Amino acid sequence: SGDVSRRFRRARKMSASVMGSKKCLGGVALPERAVAKTARPAGRATGLKVRAASAGGFVPDMPRRNIMNLLLVGAAGLPATSMLGAYAFFFVPKGSGGGGGGLAAKDALGNDVTSKGWLATHQIGDHSLTQGLKGDPTYLVVNDEGKIDNFGINAVCTHLGCVVPWNPTEKKFKCPCHGSQYNAQGRVVRGPAPLSLALAHADINPDTDIVTFTPWTETDFRTGLDPWWK
């Protein structure tokens, strides 16, 4: 019986030791593996806290941030400004006469017009188009002396901007759009155009023989009035 009592006490001690080393839930001992799984989320949370704490890094002060913002705005604004300038240039309409510096008259092929070359193919009374100031179509006139007149006539109608052709039979300009008419010097003789065609000086360079257009800013000899296109 003494041996039995000792064995029983030893078994109770071992059972108490085993129970003390394990977690219990509702009086039932949980294996260590289950306890480890339960403890894992706490470990993850701790790791996240550590990583978040170490993510602070360098934060620039206000002056540096302002400089960075200015550089960013400038880099973004440069191409936008270039595009805006291109669009603005595209949509600016051509003028209807006058203005600008001297410009060599150009023929239909884009060559400079010379007095000798022009008179070789254009007779007395001829009104033919060249490219004038601001790129506007401009008539050169061969006068009764067989010379190029000292003025060019802008071909842009003063009504709605159509290019007015010369009618050699009637010896006048007749607009095909709305019927406006101008005499051989470009003075309006019939509406609805309200004004005469604009003028430009047509001078011949004595050294190169090139016909050059320059702005007409003085009194309009056809009307005695100041030029409306100035």
Side-chain angles (χ1 to χ4, degrees), residues 39-53:
R40 240 176 246 172
R44 285 199 190 100
T46 303
L48 287 173
K49 288 180 181 179
V50 172
R51 284 193 293 271

Side-chain angles (χ1 to χ4, degrees), residues 57-102:
F58 171 73
V59 178
D61 55 18
M62 185 59 70
R64 291 184 181 179
R65 278 183 284 176
N66 289 337
I67 293 174
M68 292 169 65
N69 289 337
L70 289 174
L71 291 175
L72 180 61
V73 171
L78 184 59
T81 303
S82 300
M83 292 176 64
L84 180 62
Y87 275 107
F89 178 79
F90 179 80
F91 285 109
V92 171
K94 289 184 177 181
S96 58

